[in-house]
């Protein structure tokens, strides 16, 4: 049973089977506008050498952003979204984001003697059943800064990525994919420990009035966790509990409860438990009702989760 917000967050993330796929490694010089948008996939950019600017256009609830990136920084875009990397601190106009400029050249070396920017770019996905449900609670992009003290261990990973990128020019090393997976989880850890991150998953985990509730649900998911009982557990009125929980989490408590229960259920199924015993453990009297709830949250029937092998082959990207 988790005893802290960070442990609860680790538990929730433990079933995410991240799979990164390297798209290209190379160098831009002069004027360029690079992007992985338009592929209908989440993506990442690792700055191997040099500096650039990440531009994000304005969207509902967020102003346009321009962020300087330097060697050692990484950005993970949680879904296909308009963005671009340029050498210019001034953002392009909205209709220019989709227009690429410049061509990526071979990396050659990573010794600091070249101009421009050296990048490793690619795509990632969560192959587990709860991927979409959990990432829906996260911000639309996550920055991993090279000088973030919470990412001290990730600097070793980044150095290994640079070595792998420089040693295989014709066929980028597949090890970069796995190193990127680990780097991304370091970035998630940093998000989890940010005091000012709200609203979202980590806010619920870190709020003292809600953390005991999350831990209690994880320990006994089959208990009668109605909105009333959850509110009583937190020593709040039902109205106050629903309002504060939704403000912090971005979704109602019943939806969050379903996510936690299906996370427990997915782990049980992967370890060979029957659908009936799993349903009863997470609070469902009917196997069919559980199956419907599981598919509604995860997008998959329970049997698929149980049959899924531990390692899923990747689909290569040119």
């Amino acid at each position: 049973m988790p005893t802290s917000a960070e442990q609860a967050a680790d538990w929730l993330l433990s079933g995410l089977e991240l799979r990164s796929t390297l798209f290209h490694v190379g160098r831009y010089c002069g004027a360029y506008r690079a992007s992985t948008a338009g592929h209908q996939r989440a993506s990442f950019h690792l700055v191997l050498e040099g500096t650039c600017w990440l531009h994000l256009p304005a969207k509902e609830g967020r102003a346009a952003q321009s962020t300087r990136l330097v060697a050692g920084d990484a950005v993970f875009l949680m879904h296909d979204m308009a963005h671009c990397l340029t050498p210019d601190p001034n953002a392009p106009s909205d209709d220019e984001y989709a227009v690429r400029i410049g061509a990526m050249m071979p990396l050659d070396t990573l010794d600091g003697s070249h101009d421009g920017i050296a990048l490793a770019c690619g795509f990632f996905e969560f192959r587990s059943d709860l991927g979409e449900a959990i990432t829906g609670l996260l911000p639309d992009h996550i920055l991993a800064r090279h000088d973030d003290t919470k990412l001290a261990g990730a600097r070793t990973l980044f150095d290994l990525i640079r070595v792998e990128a420089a040693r295989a020019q014709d066929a980028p090393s597949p090890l970069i994919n796995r190193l990127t997976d680990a780097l991304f989880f370091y970035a998630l850890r940093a998000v989890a420990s940010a005091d000012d991150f709200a609203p979202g998953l980590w806010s619920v985990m870190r709020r003292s009035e809600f953390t005991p509730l999350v831990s209690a649900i994880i320990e006994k998911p089959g208990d009668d966790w109605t909105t009333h009982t959850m509110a009583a557990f937190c020593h709040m009125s039902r109205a106050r509990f629903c309002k504060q929980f939704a403000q912090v989490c971005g979704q109602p408590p019943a939806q969050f409860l379903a996510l936690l229960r299906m996370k427990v259920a997915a782990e049980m199924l992967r370890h060979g438990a029957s659908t009936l015993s799993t349903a009863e453990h997470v609070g469902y009297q009917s196997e069919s009702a559980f199956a419907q709830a599981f598919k509604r949250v995860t997008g998959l029937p329970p049997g698929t989760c149980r049959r899924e092998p531990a390692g899923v082959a990747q689909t290569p990207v040119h």
Side-chain angles (χ1 to χ4, degrees):
M1 168 183 164
T3 57
S4 70
E6 286 78 10
Q7 287 175 310
D10 282 348
W11 172 83
L12 194 56
L13 291 170
S14 64
L16 292 180
E17 299 172 11
L18 182 68
R19 291 292 183 269
S20 300
T21 306
L22 196 64
F23 182 54
H24 53 207
V25 177
R27 188 183 305 277
Y28 285 102
C29 295
Y32 64 87
R33 189 183 301 138
S35 177
T36 47
H39 291 271
Q40 305 302 312
R41 302 179 68 181
S43 63
F44 65 86
H45 300 283
L46 310 179
V47 183
L48 303 176
E49 188 178 275
T51 65
C52 65
W53 288 82
L54 167 68
H55 301 291
L56 301 173
K59 57 176 287 188
E60 184 178 354
R62 188 193 69 200
Q65 297 181 9
S66 294
T67 305
R68 186 172 182 264
L69 303 179
V70 303
D73 290 346
V75 58
F76 298 90
L77 304 156
M78 303 302 292
H79 56 82
D80 188 12
M81 55 189 288
H83 72 282
C84 65
L85 301 177
T86 77
D88 191 345
N90 298 313
S93 61
D94 288 348
D95 58 352
E96 291 177 327
Y97 272 88
V99 180
R100 310 291 195 268
I101 296 175
M104 180 171 272
M105 300 177 294
L107 195 59
D108 296 331
T109 62
L110 282 170
D111 58 8
S113 63
H114 290 72
D115 295 329
I117 184 80
L119 297 169
C121 308
F123 304 101
F124 65 92
E125 61 181 329
F126 293 106
R127 301 296 294 269
S128 75
D129 34 48
L130 293 182
E132 289 189 11
I134 292 176
T135 55
L137 298 171
L138 296 170
D140 60 6
H141 72 287
I142 295 175
L143 285 174
R145 292 292 195 178
H146 75 287
D147 56 355
D148 188 336
T149 57
K150 296 185 290 293
L151 292 172
R155 284 194 282 273
T156 300
L157 290 171
F158 186 82
D159 290 340
L160 291 172
I161 290 173
R162 292 181 84 251
V163 170
E164 289 297 313
R167 67 181 289 271
Q169 296 299 310
D170 297 330
S173 167
L175 183 56
I176 294 179
N177 296 341
R178 303 288 74 80
L179 292 170
T180 302
D181 293 349
L183 183 64
F184 179 75
F185 277 105
Y186 266 98
L188 286 180
R189 279 272 185 86
V191 171
S193 62
D195 291 326
D196 58 352
F197 183 80
L201 171 63
W202 311 128
S203 295
V204 174
M205 298 293 194
R206 293 180 60 81
R207 289 286 286 268
S208 59
E209 63 268 42
F210 296 136
T211 301
L213 172 64
V214 174
S215 296
I217 294 172
I218 292 171
E219 184 181 19
K220 297 181 178 180
D223 282 7
D224 186 21
W225 294 111
T226 64
T227 304
H228 178 77
T229 57
M230 286 189 284
F233 187 96
C234 296
H235 307 291
M236 296 181 184
S237 68
R238 184 181 182 280
R240 180 186 169 210
F241 169 73
C242 290
K243 180 179 180 181
Q244 290 196 8
F245 193 97
Q247 287 176 340
V248 170
C249 183
Q251 61 179 233
Q255 189 172 335
F256 187 76
L257 169 65
L259 173 61
L260 293 183
R261 281 176 162 168
M262 295 311 122
K263 162 65 175 169
V264 172
E267 287 190 344
M268 291 182 64
L269 292 168
R270 276 194 294 266
H271 285 85
S274 69
T275 303
L276 178 59
S277 63
T278 301
E280 292 175 345
H281 182 74
V282 297
Y284 288 83
Q285 303 303 314
S286 162
E287 187 173 348
S288 61
F290 164 73
Q292 291 176 5
F294 191 89
K295 186 171 183 179
R296 183 172 63 251
V297 173
T298 69
L300 297 169
T304 301
C305 181
R306 187 168 53 250
R307 291 191 301 268
E308 181 99 11
V312 182
Q314 288 184 206
T315 301
V317 178
H318 57 96

